[in-house]
Amino acid sequence: MDSSSIHVVSTARTNAESASITTKDFYTRDGQTNLVRHTKTKAGVVQIRIHRFYHAGTLVGDHVAMPDSSGFTTEAGTQYSTSLECDASRHPKSVVIGTKDGVILDAFSYTNGVFSPVESALLTKANATGSAVQGAMEELSERSKKK
């Protein structure tokens, strides 16, 4: 991760009675919380993992995973779009938070059951590529109108 813009603070709590451990990981990009991960394990096995995705202080969606199921929910009424990409086996690959007109505001990769923020440089590159593609499409559209 780009250490200059992404920071993580983790806490852990143990419960001797239930033999469980609950951890919370708080990720920030440039001082703003963008991901909070809650994980509960028992005897070393993940019982539940919840990822809550934020932008500009607003909860935009969450992903909940348990041993036999998982689900993704977006928050109604936000000004942001949130998308979950899955691979051919229907396993999560990434989450992207963007504006309604296609600007990528934040993105998270997925590995071994865990979402993590991507480097800030990748966001910049993705938006530059998107702008270049959009510009090329607009230019082609204008050319076809002139013919």
Side-chain angles (χ1 to χ4, degrees), residues 6-82:
I6 298 173
H7 293 74
V8 62
V9 173
S10 300
T11 63
R13 190 178 77 223
T14 59
N15 183 323
E17 276 184 31
S18 65
S20 65
I21 300 171
T22 303
T23 59
K24 287 186 181 180
D25 303 302
F26 300 86
Y27 288 84
T28 60
R29 181 186 304 278
D30 300 324
Q32 291 280 321
T33 299
N34 67 347
L35 174 64
V36 177
R37 180 188 313 122
H38 304 257
T39 306
K40 182 176 181 180
T41 59
K42 187 172 184 175
V45 177
V46 174
Q47 302 298 302
I48 187 168
R49 182 172 284 138
I50 303 168
H51 291 88
R52 295 189 184 275
F53 302 93
Y54 295 84
H55 186 74
T58 301
L59 176 64
V60 295
D62 58 38
H63 182 266
V64 178
M66 295 173 283
D68 296 323
S69 65
S70 66
F72 189 82
T73 306
T74 59
E75 289 296 307
T78 68
Q79 60 184 352
Y80 308 108
S81 65
T82 309

Side-chain angles (χ1 to χ4, degrees), residues 67-116:
D68 296 323
S69 65
S70 66
F72 189 82
T73 306
T74 59
E75 289 296 307
T78 68
Q79 60 184 352
Y80 308 108
S81 65
T82 309
S83 62
L84 170 69
E85 180 185 9
C86 296
D87 64 17
S89 300
R90 299 184 185 100
H91 296 107
K93 281 179 63 174
S94 64
V95 166
V96 174
I97 299 170
T99 63
K100 304 285 183 181
D101 58 354
V103 176
I104 297 172
L105 300 170
D106 214 336
F108 307 84
S109 61
Y110 184 85
T111 305
N112 298 326
V114 176
F115 286 99
S116 299

